Amino acid sequence: MRLYQEKSAGDIEPDLGVDLAGIHFRNPVTVASGTFGSGIEYSRFVDLNKLGALTTKGVSRDPWEGNPTPRVTETPSGMMNAIGLQNPGVDVFIKRDLAFLEEFDVPVIVNVCGHSVGEYEAVVERLAEDDRVAMLEINVSCPNVSCGAIQFGTDAGMLMEVTSRCKSKAGSKPVIMKLTPNVTSISDMAKAAEAGGADGVSLINTLTAMKIDIYKKRFVLANKTGGLSGPAIHPVAVRMVYEASHAIKIPVIGMGGVASAEDALELMLAGATMVAVGMMNFTEPDITGKIIRGIKDYMVLTKTEHIRDIIGAV
Amino acid sequence: MNEMIRKKAKIREKTYLAPDIYRYSFLTDLCSGAEPGQFVMIYPVNGARLLGRPLCIADVSGEDNDSGRADDPGHYFDIVFRVVGGGTEEISGYNPGDELYIEGPLGHGYPFDEKTIGGKNIVMLGGGLGAPSLLFLAKKLMKAPSAFVSLTAVLGYRDRSMNHFLASDFGGTGIKTIISTDDGSEGIRGNVIDALEESGIKADLIYACGPLPMLSAVKRYAKEAGATAYISLEERMACGLGVCLGCVAKTTEKDAHSGVKNARVCTEGPVFCAETVDI
């Protein structure tokens, strides 16, 4: 592999900027919701101003306790989690997290979760007029909460309804629907989100998985099941991003096991306009910077002036 | 940018302590400012294992602690671990000279300011792999032995096959050290609390690290004895930095960060005042 090399004199200066839902992003790299908090902890490793966008952990109307522990476990080239969307609720989020992010020059995508359509609407409404929020990502795909979330994302009719109702409360804010891979046809779900008026879709959330301790004869996670993420699921993400992006006209944010610039580029060639780095933030806190540099190197190497020429170019 | 807390560090020394239990010393200044009870994340090299292994800091040496070794620039820290799965098995296969990525020091350790320890009879209770973090604390406390009334370490082991690892290190600091084994094959028969009671030692302040059932028992014991207990909790972690919320402990009151009755073991902990956690 020839990426991550020193530049030479005649090299082009590639343009990594992308436009999505009417917003310009300086590069196509963001982080996957739940793997980066609101950037507070990682800001000592990563220059947040260099990210294309920062996607926050899911925010709900009220504080959520989440699931009992153990909540996480490692799996081959990945991990499983069943956090259960623990979060302090939108009031604390606005007061603490958005106030922190205000100091940075990075578009903020706020991930929104809820147990009911009304709860999603309440959060969307609170954030619709907030200038510190660039875009909303609606989580209809978390496999780890017992009511809400994934139920809205596995039924096309419900997905369309949640989309249009969130959209109607979002004012001028673009709304992205985050989709689950735990469906028979990702294309049908992407179409439902588009029909509901979504400005884009993001995929994939984690794959529902299970791990058993053979000596204790017990489930490893207290929740029994958890969401599988990490490099192990990357090829699934590439396939689903390809299928979804060919089924709809709205843009796709691709994610799932991105561990390198090569992985990110694969998702973009499959049709993603932006990509998100997830679990690998835990392994290498400064990995996003490395991936952005690697994409730039690839463009120099392949003499690609505009990143838009890569999107869907497979 | 703020300070980096992730470095590649070379293994300086590897010691076999007991079956499946090793002590590593890493040549790095990463933990020179560490407090006892803090931990590091050590990353396996094998690409199929992507999460760090949280391991507590067992000892730290700085420039003031000259080992007398010509090859030793003075900055190193120690960990002690047991092989429990693929990740620790991989780490146990490395040798002096090999390098590993390490993040740290992380979390909040044992409080040992004058207000906490002044005039107290202090007891440290270490169950199995709980002993290492207390060793570092013991060394810190012994730098100011006049600050407290007494200091005793009670170290509990499963049986004699564990070679009462680290007990001589505790003894070496000048601390009274009592050993117990579950089967009575060495020292006092029973757990650390049995040993504490049998020895008739008074405890006003307890520092404890060990398996969860032991820590629950320590919490009950401290309450009955009217002592304050600081306990170090263990939980599965993904990031170690407070981001993923994988490693929470139930708290008795609402936690300031989470807004719910969950505190992050990696950030607010791993050491908690026993009264504040619901165990």
Side-chain angles (χ1 to χ4, degrees):
Chain A
M1 204 49 63
R2 295 189 288 166
L3 304 188
Y4 317 111
Q5 286 184 355
E6 289 298 312
K7 288 214 291 181
S8 56
D11 289 347
I12 57 159
E13 187 54 46
D15 178 7
L16 271 74
V18 291
D19 294 289
L20 192 150
I23 298 170
H24 183 74
F25 298 91
R26 64 171 75 86
N27 67 59
V29 178
T30 183
V31 288
S33 178
T35 65
F36 210 76
S38 291
I40 297 170
E41 294 82 7
Y42 278 139
S43 59
R44 52 177 155 166
F45 294 98
V46 182
D47 183 352
L48 303 185
N49 295 329
K50 291 204 168 134
L51 289 173
L54 189 149
T55 308
T56 71
K57 181 170 173 62
V59 181
S60 54
R61 186 189 66 187
D62 311 308
W64 282 11
E65 290 264 351
N67 290 323
T69 57
R71 290 176 167 186
V72 291
T73 186
E74 191 181 72
T75 57
S77 296
M79 65 175 284
M80 278 165 54
N81 89 81
I83 309 294
L85 292 172
Q86 181 190 319
N87 80 92
V90 69
D91 290 336
V92 172
F93 175 79
I94 289 172
K95 219 182 295 170
R96 180 182 64 199
D97 300 39
L98 283 185
F100 166 81
L101 287 167
E102 211 177 317
E103 305 298 318
F104 295 90
D105 174 28
V106 63
V108 175
I109 303 173
V110 178
N111 184 283
V112 177
C113 51
H115 291 124
S116 64
V117 181
E119 287 187 24
Y120 284 109
E121 285 179 313
V123 180
V124 170
E125 219 169 351
R126 284 293 304 277
L127 299 170
E129 303 300 322
D130 200 313
D131 291 341
R132 299 168 295 186
V133 179
M135 208 152 82
L136 298 167
E137 179 182 60
I138 313 298
N139 180 357
V140 283
S141 45
C142 177
N144 299 325
V145 293
S146 55
C147 107
I150 202 167
Q151 289 156 346
F152 297 108
T154 50
D155 179 295
M158 277 171 87
L159 175 59
M160 201 170 108
E161 195 198 327
V162 180
T163 308
S164 66
R165 283 179 62 179
C166 285
K167 190 66 191 155
S168 72
K169 300 281 180 195
S172 60
K173 294 266 189 277
V175 170
I176 303 287
M177 302 306 286
K178 182 161 181 179
L179 304 182
T180 172
N182 302 303
V183 291
T184 311
S185 167
I186 194 74
S187 305
D188 288 352
M189 294 301 147
K191 282 181 195 162
E194 185 177 42
D199 297 283
V201 292
S202 53
L203 63 136
I204 56 175
N205 203 321
T206 57
L207 289 148
T208 310
M210 185 179 272
K211 190 175 170 180
I212 294 167
D213 183 322
I214 59 164
Y215 295 105
K216 291 180 185 157
K217 295 181 178 158
R218 283 209 306 250
F219 301 103
V220 172
L221 298 181
N223 190 51
K224 292 187 188 173
T225 59
L228 179 67
S229 61
I233 70 164
H234 179 66
V236 180
V238 175
R239 188 263 296 178
M240 289 196 155
V241 164
Y242 178 80
E243 287 178 0
S245 66
H246 282 76
I248 53 177
K249 292 191 179 63
I250 53 173
V252 173
I253 302 178
M255 62 196 71
V258 174
S260 64
E262 288 89 337
D263 295 340
L265 288 158
E266 236 187 304
L267 287 173
M268 295 192 78
L269 285 163
T273 301
M274 291 182 81
V275 290
V277 182
M279 181 224 160
M280 287 302 290
N281 288 305
F282 301 153
T283 307
E284 244 184 284
D286 57 347
I287 196 164
T288 40
K290 211 162 99 181
I291 289 170
I292 295 163
R293 286 195 298 279
I295 292 173
K296 210 168 172 180
D297 292 349
Y298 170 84
M299 292 172 72
V300 171
L301 196 69
T302 57
K303 300 195 179 358
T304 310
E305 276 183 54
H306 298 285
I307 195 136
R308 61 171 180 265
D309 297 330
I310 292 170
I311 299 165
V314 66
Chain B
M1 293 295 285
N2 299 315
E3 52 158 348
M4 288 291 289
I5 53 163
R6 182 184 170 91
K7 276 186 182 174
K8 213 169 193 181
K10 201 176 268 182
I11 300 170
R12 165 184 172 267
E13 216 165 69
K14 174 182 183 176
T15 317
Y16 172 89
L17 299 179
D20 285 337
I21 299 173
Y22 297 87
R23 179 176 185 158
Y24 279 16
S25 184
F26 286 96
L27 202 52
T28 174
D29 60 359
L30 189 72
C31 292
S32 295
E35 296 291 343
Q38 287 192 296
F39 68 100
V40 292
M41 289 290 259
I42 300 196
Y43 285 83
V45 177
N46 182 327
R49 299 188 187 106
L50 293 167
L51 299 179
R53 268 50 183 178
L55 294 163
C56 73
I57 298 165
D59 195 9
V60 173
S61 299
E63 277 156 351
D64 60 331
N65 193 346
D66 186 4
S67 68
R69 279 170 48 157
D71 62 338
D72 195 340
H75 286 292
Y76 50 90
F77 81 95
D78 292 5
I79 54 156
V80 174
F81 68 96
R82 177 165 52 195
V83 176
V84 290
T88 41
E89 189 176 346
E90 181 198 317
I91 293 168
S92 74
Y94 296 116
N95 288 300
D98 290 337
E99 288 185 315
L100 292 168
Y101 271 109
I102 301 178
E103 252 168 49
L106 302 169
H108 284 91
Y110 303 101
F112 61 103
D113 54 294
E114 219 179 303
K115 204 177 141 210
T116 307
I117 64 171
K120 300 281 167 62
N121 292 292
I122 306 173
V123 172
M124 294 191 288
L125 302 174
L129 270 288
S133 77
L134 296 169
L135 176 62
F136 184 20
L137 175 66
K139 290 195 170 186
K140 286 270 189 191
L141 288 171
M142 287 308 278
K143 283 188 175 168
S146 58
F148 48 84
V149 178
S150 70
L151 178 59
T152 311
V154 184
L155 306 176
Y157 301 94
R158 192 180 57 235
D159 54 43
R160 64 183 306 162
S161 76
M162 291 177 86
N163 295 336
H164 54 265
F165 71 91
L166 294 188
S168 60
D169 293 75
F170 277 87
T173 64
I175 295 173
K176 180 178 179 182
T177 306
I178 296 164
I179 291 168
S180 74
T181 51
D182 294 345
D183 65 354
S185 55
E186 197 158 34
I188 297 171
R189 184 193 197 97
N191 61 34
V192 288
I193 293 175
D194 297 333
L196 180 63
E197 285 178 329
E198 197 175 316
S199 310
I201 292 163
K202 185 173 159 44
D204 309 312
L205 173 62
I206 297 172
Y207 297 109
C209 185
L212 193 59
M214 174 194 134
L215 297 179
S216 300
V218 168
K219 182 181 173 176
R220 284 195 301 275
Y221 177 85
K223 197 174 177 196
E224 282 164 23
T228 306
Y230 291 97
I231 57 176
S232 179
L233 298 182
E234 187 177 40
E235 189 50 77
R236 283 172 185 265
M237 295 180 185
C239 71
L241 298 168
V243 175
C244 72
L245 308 186
C247 67
V248 297
K250 281 276 158 220
T251 52
T252 49
E253 301 294 328
K254 206 181 268 186
D255 173 70
H257 175 269
S258 69
V260 292
K261 289 182 175 179
N262 282 333
R264 299 168 295 183
V265 172
C266 69
T267 306
E268 281 77 46
V271 175
F272 293 92
C273 182
E275 282 176 2
T276 66
V277 283
D278 188 11
I279 61 164

